[in-house]
């Protein structure tokens, strides 16, 4: 009898514990999933992806929040620990704090930059909100927000932000910098890394007078940065690191057409570049310049009004808009190893940019020809394509290559290891595919990528904005179906 009473009391205690307010609910929590390094196919539309995530065991009430700066955000409720969520999604857990998980495919080597992007976005939004209160019309100058020589911690406190927000896994508060140039322009640089190393994006308000503008940026540089201009005439916000430049408002592809002339944008850019080289040749032999050494000649961005004035150039770059403006072009000088002649060199943007151009002109030969540039043409390292048909040929070839890879992937019984992106020989070996199956006029096996995604999906990718456009297919290996394609 006593045993029965004790058993009943124990059972009643279990029921009371399980039904107590907060006990059953304590295991469930609200989280934010921040997914980076994923295919664009998941964002088209976000609703479809949130529905797929909602079917993952242990996740419920999944809702799409936004896709910004390459970071796709969802809210959800779950009883799963952080690591189990990552395993359920087939992703790597990069960071977890304050109810938010930063997750990415194992092969997404640059995904850690998202930590800095989130912090930079919060800072620039706080700056924008505070400064806009002070401007009643376009002529109002903006006051300095921060004391002279303010530290990053002091600047954050002025903005009402907790400095602890910058104490992340990949970047600490000492890595962040906020530079202010108030007044009429209202320009702000917010960045993380060892040094400020921007790339030219062609924006009217984005300029760098340094001589190395137009050089290929280091893709491994530990730099994430943005620039904001609060000029009432225009301005805006844009990323200035090489990985973030593709996240700006509009990404041009190399087959873009100039709306005014109907020509390819790169052809219009090449015409402008040739004009700049011709002006540089004449400048070299001006009376007060001719005796100067190579290193004494003006160089750098054509956004520099002093350089434009010295070269006799006016405010005549508008015909290249919106694809180029003078901030996109940079001038340098070199001596030809064989002839010893001085050459002027102009680059548009940087080598991996979609609209990159690179040409030089023998200025000594131009003077000898009395500046008859028909006799001394521009020598192109990277010139403009002849017509749009070149890009159509590239896309057709890529489409056929993606189909070959898709069929080979679906023919496998088990998927390849999902720890690395596969390309070239490794790609062909993983898919038991002969390399010559991907050999074409414009591309080879080295130009194709197989990228692991989430939920066991894969993205097959080839091309880029610099070749006239990227083509990709996001597929489900488990169901052997296409999720989304772009060609």
């Amino acid at each position: 009898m006593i045993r029965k009473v004790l058993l009943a009391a124990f059972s009643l205690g279990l029921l009371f514990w399980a039904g107590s307010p907060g006990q059953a609910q304590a295991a469930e929590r609200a989280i934010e999933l921040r997914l980076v390094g994923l295919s664009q196919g998941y964002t088209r539309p976000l609703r479809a992806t949130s529905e797929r995530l909602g079917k993952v065991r242990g996740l419920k009430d999944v809702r799409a929040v936004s896709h910004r700066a390459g970071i796709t955000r969802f809210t959800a409720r779950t009883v799963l620990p952080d690591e189990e969520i990552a395993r359920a999604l087939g992703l790597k857990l990069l960071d977890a704090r304050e109810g938010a998980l930063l997750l990415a495919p194992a092969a997404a080597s640059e995904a850690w930059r998202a930590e800095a992007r989130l912090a930079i976005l919060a800072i620039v939004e706080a700056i924008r909100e505070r400064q806009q209160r002070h401007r009643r019309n376009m002529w109002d100058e903006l006051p300095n927000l921060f004391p002279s020589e303010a530290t990053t911690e002091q600047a954050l406190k002025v903005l009402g932000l907790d400095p602890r927000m910058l104490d992340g896994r990949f970047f600490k508060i000492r890595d962040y910098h906020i530079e202010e140039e108030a007044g009429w322009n209202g320009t702000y640089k917010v960045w993380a890394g060892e040094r400020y190393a921007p790339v030219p994006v062609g924006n009217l308000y984005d300029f760098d007078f340094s001589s190395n503008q137009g050089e290929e940026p280091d893709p491994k540089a530990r730099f994430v940065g943005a620039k904001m201009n609060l000029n009432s005439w225009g301005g805006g916000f844009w990323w200035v690191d090489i990985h973030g430049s593709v996240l700006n408002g509009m990404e041009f592809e190399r087959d873009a057409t100039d709306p005014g002339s109907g020509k390819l944008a790169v052809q219009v850019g090449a015409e402008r570049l040739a004009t700049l080289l011709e002006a540089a040749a004449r400048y070299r032999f001006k009376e007060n310049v001719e005796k100067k050494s190579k290193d004494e000649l003006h160089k750098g961005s054509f956004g520099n009004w002093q350089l434009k004035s010295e070269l006799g150039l006016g405010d005549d770059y508008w015909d290249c808009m919106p694809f180029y403006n003078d901030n996109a072009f940079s001038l340098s000088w070199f001596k030809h190893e064989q002839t010893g002649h001085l050459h002027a060199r102009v680059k548009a943007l940087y080598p991996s940019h979609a609209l990159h151009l690179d040409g030089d002109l023998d200025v000594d030969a131009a003077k000898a020809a009395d500046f008859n540039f028909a006799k001394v043409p521009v020598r192109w390292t990277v010139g403009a394509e002849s017509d749009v048909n070149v890009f159509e040929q590239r896309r057709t070839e890529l489409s056929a290559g993606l189909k070959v890879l898709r069929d080979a992937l679906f023919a496998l019984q088990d998927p390849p290891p999902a720890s690395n992106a596969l390309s070239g020989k490794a790609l062909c070996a993983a898919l038991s595919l002969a390399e010559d199956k991907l050999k074409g006029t414009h591309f080879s096996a080295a130009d194709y990528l197989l990228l692991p995604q989430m939920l066991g999906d894969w993205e097959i990718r080839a091309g880029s904005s610099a070749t006239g456009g990227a083509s990709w297919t996001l597929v489900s290996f488990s169901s052997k179906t296409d999720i989304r394609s772009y060609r």
Side-chain angles (χ1 to χ4, degrees):
M1 181 66 180
I2 294 175
R3 184 178 298 173
K4 289 182 179 180
V5 171
L6 290 173
L7 181 61
F10 178 69
S11 300
L12 184 61
L14 286 177
L15 289 172
F16 175 79
W17 180 84
S20 296
Q23 295 298 331
Q25 297 175 5
E28 185 175 280
R29 60 196 171 107
I31 60 166
E32 181 173 293
L33 304 175
R34 297 172 175 174
L35 312 182
V36 294
L38 290 178
S39 168
Q40 297 176 56
Y42 290 115
T43 67
R44 305 179 179 187
L46 277 176
R47 175 182 52 76
T49 302
S50 61
E51 289 174 356
R52 287 188 71 195
L53 292 174
K55 296 176 182 178
V56 174
R57 188 173 181 180
L59 295 181
K60 67 179 185 179
D61 297 334
V62 178
R63 299 178 185 274
V65 177
S66 67
H67 176 75
R68 187 181 183 191
I71 306 162
T72 310
R73 301 166 64 183
F74 300 88
T75 58
R77 302 195 65 82
T78 187
V79 296
L80 298 177
D82 296 342
E83 290 290 352
E84 287 192 27
I85 295 173
R87 281 194 292 271
L89 298 181
L91 297 174
K92 181 180 180 180
L93 179 62
L94 298 180
D95 195 17
R97 55 175 173 161
E98 300 177 359
L101 308 185
L102 185 62
L103 301 138
S109 60
E110 301 300 331
W112 53 271
R113 297 175 187 272
E115 177 184 284
R117 297 202 195 284
L118 288 167
I120 290 170
L121 286 171
I123 293 169
V124 297
E125 288 298 332
I127 292 173
R128 188 201 310 271
E129 190 273 331
R130 278 160 178 74
Q131 288 293 51
Q132 284 181 342
R133 297 176 189 171
H134 296 283
R135 178 168 277 157
R136 292 163 299 177
N137 59 62
M138 68 176 61
W139 308 114
D140 282 351
E141 289 197 358
L142 294 173
N144 287 319
L145 279 176
F146 314 120
S148 177
E149 306 298 326
T151 65
T152 301
E153 183 174 1
Q154 291 169 336
L156 289 179
K157 289 180 178 178
V158 169
L159 296 173
L161 299 174
D162 187 344
R164 290 177 297 178
M165 68 177 279
L166 300 186
D167 187 22
R169 177 181 175 187
F170 304 103
F171 293 94
K172 304 299 181 183
I173 191 169
R174 63 178 177 272
D175 299 311
Y176 288 88
H177 309 267
I178 303 173
E179 297 183 12
E180 176 183 40
E181 182 185 331
W184 187 74
N185 281 323
T187 300
Y188 296 86
K189 300 174 184 177
V190 185
W191 53 281
E194 284 84 4
R195 65 186 184 90
Y196 187 67
V199 298
V201 298
N203 186 301
L204 180 61
Y205 297 95
D206 180 37
F207 49 86
D208 180 1
F209 297 159
S210 66
S211 61
N212 65 343
Q213 183 169 1
E215 298 299 319
E216 180 68 12
D218 181 4
K220 296 181 180 179
R222 192 170 176 269
F223 166 67
V224 181
K227 194 172 180 179
M228 180 172 65
N229 187 290
L230 298 178
N231 189 321
S232 293
W233 287 97
F237 167 87
W238 59 96
W239 298 101
V240 296
D241 59 283
I242 183 175
H243 302 281
S245 61
V246 297
L247 303 172
N248 292 327
M250 183 176 293
E251 181 186 3
F252 299 121
E253 295 183 349
R254 199 166 178 84
D255 65 343
T257 302
D258 177 68
S261 64
K263 300 177 182 178
L264 289 171
V266 286
Q267 292 174 338
V268 176
E271 292 171 2
R272 176 61 178 171
L273 193 150
T275 299
L276 297 176
L277 284 173
E278 292 170 7
R282 292 190 177 94
Y283 153 78
R284 172 68 182 105
F285 297 101
K286 288 171 63 175
E287 183 178 350
N288 61 338
V289 179
E290 189 169 6
K291 294 182 179 180
K292 288 185 177 182
S293 68
K294 173 177 70 68
D295 294 333
E296 292 175 317
L297 299 174
H298 277 288
K299 57 188 175 182
S301 168
F302 279 92
N304 187 333
W305 284 100
Q306 184 179 3
L307 172 63
K308 291 182 65 176
S309 177
E310 286 290 329
L311 269 63
L313 295 166
D315 190 15
D316 56 354
Y317 59 80
W318 295 100
D319 287 345
C320 290
M321 299 288 280
F323 304 100
Y324 300 94
N325 61 59
D326 280 351
N327 290 329
F329 295 96
S330 60
L331 171 67
S332 62
W333 304 87
F334 71 93
K335 282 198 172 182
H336 195 279
E337 292 183 0
Q338 295 177 342
T339 66
H341 286 191
L342 183 67
H343 285 238
R345 184 178 191 179
V346 174
K347 294 181 181 180
L349 301 161
Y350 51 91
S352 59
H353 192 280
L355 302 181
H356 173 64
L357 295 166
D358 183 352
D360 64 85
L361 184 68
D362 185 334
V363 298
D364 289 328
K367 183 178 185 296
D370 197 23
F371 302 108
N372 183 345
F373 296 105
K375 295 181 179 180
V376 188
V378 174
R379 184 182 67 168
W380 293 102
T381 300
V382 180
E385 281 80 355
S386 58
D387 58 66
V388 73
N389 291 329
V390 174
F391 300 104
E392 290 299 326
Q393 293 168 13
R394 292 174 184 171
R395 278 192 282 267
T396 299
E397 185 175 312
L398 289 180
S399 180
L402 292 180
K403 184 179 185 306
V404 168
L405 290 172
R406 175 187 177 276
D407 292 345
L409 177 64
F410 284 172
L412 298 178
Q413 185 174 355
D414 298 307
S419 57
N420 294 299
L422 297 171
S423 182
K425 292 182 179 180
L427 169 62
C428 293
L431 300 184
S432 300
L433 189 68
E435 287 187 60
D436 60 6
K437 294 290 185 181
L438 296 175
K439 182 65 176 175
T441 303
H442 302 279
F443 303 97
S444 65
D447 296 301
Y448 294 87
L449 275 173
L450 183 62
L451 299 159
Q453 299 294 305
M454 67 177 179
L455 303 175
D457 300 336
W458 292 82
E459 183 184 76
I460 310 167
R461 172 175 286 271
S464 68
S465 57
T467 62
S471 296
W472 51 263
T473 300
L474 178 65
V475 301
S476 167
F477 184 84
S478 58
S479 64
K480 302 291 195 298
T481 58
D482 292 348
I483 297 172
R484 191 84 183 187
S485 295
Y486 177 79
R487 295 185 178 91

